[in-house]
Amino acid sequence: MRVRISRKKLRDEVIARIEEISGEQISKCFQCGKCSAGCPSVDSMDILPNQIIRLLQIGEKDEVLASRTIWVCDSCFTCESRCPKGIDVAKVMEAARQIILRANVDKVKPYEIDEKTFEGLPQAGIVSCLRKFTG
Ligand code: SF4
Ligand code: SF4
């Protein structure tokens, strides 16, 4: 994949917000890949956790915000415990989700879920789903 890096992209406001919300310094990552190697959810992701960090480092926020990965991450913190730089990738994923949800874009639209689907789900699951996927 060819990526054009520009100063404007590197100083992107949204990426600065992701760092602010997460409290993590994305530039510290040196791409060792240990986060992705230990992540239990990679099979369901379209972009690996270390690639999410890399994309943010080079200013490619749109790819990150459009990814399935940020919604699939279940905040298990395995990546943080493995990261030699102490980067909490789960917090970065959460911050990316917050950017979308705070713009009033719901990932799951409760009113579009039919009653039958709700019937088979545990209440705690529904509540945590709506907390994670709606703004
Ligand atoms: S917190 Fe998310 S990215 Fe990190 S290991 Fe767990 S599922 Fe993977
Ligand atoms: S484990 Fe840490 S340093 Fe290594 S790729 Fe993941 S975020 Fe970057």
Side-chain angles (χ1 to χ4, degrees):
M1 181 177 68
R2 194 178 217 185
V3 176
R4 197 180 290 265
I5 299 175
S6 69
R7 207 172 274 197
K8 193 171 162 241
K9 267 190 186 177
L10 294 177
R11 290 197 189 131
D12 188 272
E13 221 175 87
V14 172
I15 295 173
R17 278 290 287 146
I18 289 176
E19 283 197 310
E20 189 192 328
I21 296 169
S22 67
E24 298 301 313
Q25 203 184 325
I26 288 156
S27 61
K28 285 198 306 186
C29 169
F30 65 111
Q31 289 295 300
C32 68
K34 286 185 100 180
C35 49
S36 300
C39 174
S41 303
V42 282
D43 286 351
S44 310
M45 293 175 171
D46 53 355
I47 300 174
L48 295 173
N50 70 297
Q51 293 172 330
I52 290 283
I53 302 295
R54 188 66 183 144
L55 286 167
L56 293 173
Q57 283 178 332
I58 61 173
E60 292 294 323
K61 63 150 194 275
D62 292 344
E63 262 196 80
V64 170
L65 297 181
S67 75
R68 181 178 157 79
T69 295
I70 61 172
W71 302 100
V72 164
C73 168
D74 54 17
S75 305
C76 69
F77 301 110
T78 305
C79 46
E80 187 211 5
S81 69
R82 291 172 61 92
C83 178
K85 290 288 186 174
I87 299 169
D88 192 335
V89 183
K91 281 191 184 164
V92 175
M93 303 277 196
E94 165 68 12
R97 291 196 297 269
Q98 284 304 316
I99 295 286
I100 296 169
L101 297 174
R102 287 180 191 183
N104 285 329
V105 179
D106 291 338
K107 182 68 177 170
V108 168
K109 296 175 180 61
Y111 47 85
E112 285 181 3
I113 304 173
D114 61 276
E115 269 181 48
K116 258 204 163 146
T117 308
F118 272 124
E119 271 170 28
L121 295 171
Q123 211 170 17
I126 297 169
V127 172
S128 56
C129 163
L130 296 182
R131 282 180 68 179
K132 180 173 177 178
F133 296 116
T134 60

